[in-house]
Amino acid sequence: MSAYRLDYLDQLESEAIHILREVAGQFERPALLFSGGKDSITLVHLALKAFRPGKFPFPLVHIDTGHNFKEALDCRDQLAATLGEKLIVRNVGDTIKAKQLTEPKGKFASRNALQTYTLLDTIEEFKFDACIGGARRDEEKARAKERIFSVRDEFGQWDPKLQRPELWNTYNGRIHKGENVRVFPISNWTELDVWNYIRREKIELPSIYFSHDREVIEHEGQLVAVSEFIQLEASDKVLTKKVRYRTVGDMTCTAAVESKASNIDDIISEITATKTSERGETRIDDKVSEAAMEDRKKNGYF
């Protein structure tokens, strides 16, 4: 089993490195979207294998909502500085002010939908023709429809019916002026694959992914961290629980899972036993409707 797992991870790694090099070869101004989460950290590690000892042929870009976990932001800044790679940060708060957008209201006032405006403005500002991201097909059914090279029109919109076939690992990056491509090098990986790879490669992650004590409230069966970004109600009972995060988005839309897994082996055991995807278990914003993710992607969401 151990030999098989290593061989399989080698295949996934080889495919991802091939995709990253295809991006460098086919596009003039690519970028790697980097949030400090486990999937984007894995992408950076793969980019090191693809391009070192040279510099990355793209900058790292983060669309910061202002509602992020501090642990992820600290990891983002530290890793970029350690590698000596360019990090571009654009803030959703600035876009809200500049475009006079309506700030979301309510108990969990997520800026997730407003990220689209900032992302599209950033693509226009730097004339990016390809944006590399860490989305995977196993996360959510709208993700499963998407190609590795996912073409977006001049408005940044995604049409699932107008995607290109990808036969024999051949990726067509030809686009018209104003269009761009979202690229997903680890699209064929699963959550378990990512964690097995992190263990094998000894990749460092933010502490938020491991069991820790945190103040939370229970909301519709989910554990949401107490923070300045959510509005506590009189009926809310603040609890201190031992939790970890399977995925890291905004503090307003990402729930924790109760867990005692303090190391990677324990996390892998937990994931092996679970029957729920990481987004399905922990993302509040995906529960707005069954088509929530697909609707956001059609409007330009990554």
Side-chain angles (χ1 to χ4, degrees), residues 54-290:
K55 299 282 286 183
F56 290 176
F58 38 68
L60 307 178
V61 176
H62 184 213
I63 306 302
D64 187 349
T65 64
H67 293 169
N68 298 100
F69 288 90
K70 182 178 184 301
E71 295 93 331
L73 295 181
D74 288 346
C75 183
R76 177 201 70 184
D77 295 340
Q78 181 180 351
L79 185 56
T82 300
L83 298 179
E85 296 293 343
K86 183 178 181 181
L87 173 64
I88 297 170
V89 179
R90 290 295 179 266
N91 297 287
V92 174
D94 293 338
T95 305
I96 291 172
K97 292 178 182 177
K99 294 183 178 292
Q100 297 184 333
L101 301 176
T102 301
E103 184 84 31
K105 307 295 182 183
K107 185 170 186 173
F108 304 107
S110 173
R111 290 177 171 177
N112 230 18
L114 300 184
Q115 286 185 86
T116 299
Y117 294 95
T118 310
L119 174 60
L120 296 180
D121 285 349
T122 304
I123 290 172
E124 176 62 26
E125 178 184 355
F126 293 96
K127 307 301 180 186
F128 292 135
D129 51 3
C131 292
I132 304 163
R136 307 186 321 271
R137 290 193 174 113
D138 74 321
E139 291 181 275
E140 206 271 346
K141 57 187 177 183
R143 299 284 199 202
K145 295 180 182 180
E146 205 151 15
R147 301 290 193 265
I148 289 174
F149 272 32
S150 180
V151 180
R152 308 297 173 107
D153 65 22
E154 63 271 26
F155 302 106
Q157 296 177 327
W158 173 68
D159 186 342
K161 297 180 180 179
L162 295 178
Q163 298 302 306
R164 299 164 179 174
E166 293 176 338
L167 306 175
W168 305 292
N169 294 327
T170 300
Y171 306 106
N172 181 358
R174 293 184 180 181
I175 54 175
H176 297 101
K177 185 176 180 180
E179 295 177 339
N180 66 82
V181 174
R182 313 293 168 85
V183 181
F184 305 110
I186 61 172
S187 183
N188 290 329
W189 298 38
T190 66
E191 181 187 11
L192 188 58
D193 294 333
V194 172
W195 278 104
N196 277 321
Y197 188 73
I198 288 168
R199 176 171 62 180
R200 189 185 83 170
E201 300 293 309
K202 298 180 173 60
I203 299 172
E204 293 188 14
L205 295 179
S207 59
I208 197 169
Y209 284 104
F210 302 93
S211 180
H212 59 283
D213 291 327
R214 188 177 290 265
E215 287 190 338
V216 297
I217 60 171
E218 291 188 3
H219 174 74
E220 296 181 357
Q222 295 179 309
L223 300 176
V224 184
V226 175
S227 73
E228 60 186 296
F229 308 122
I230 68 171
Q231 298 178 12
L232 292 178
E233 300 171 350
S235 59
D236 287 325
K237 184 177 180 180
V238 177
L239 308 168
T240 299
K241 286 186 174 288
K242 196 167 286 293
V243 301
R244 70 175 187 88
Y245 286 84
R246 291 179 66 185
T247 181
V248 177
D250 280 1
M251 296 188 77
T252 54
C253 65
T254 309
V257 295
E258 199 161 2
S259 172
K260 295 181 180 178
S262 59
N263 58 66
I264 292 180
D265 288 339
D266 289 345
I267 289 172
I268 288 173
S269 295
E270 277 191 358
I271 295 170
T272 303
T274 189
K275 297 181 179 179
T276 309
S277 72
E278 57 196 292
R279 290 191 71 98
E281 184 175 16
T282 65
R283 293 304 287 264
I284 300 170
D285 51 336
D286 286 350
K287 298 181 183 296
V288 175
S289 74
E290 286 196 8

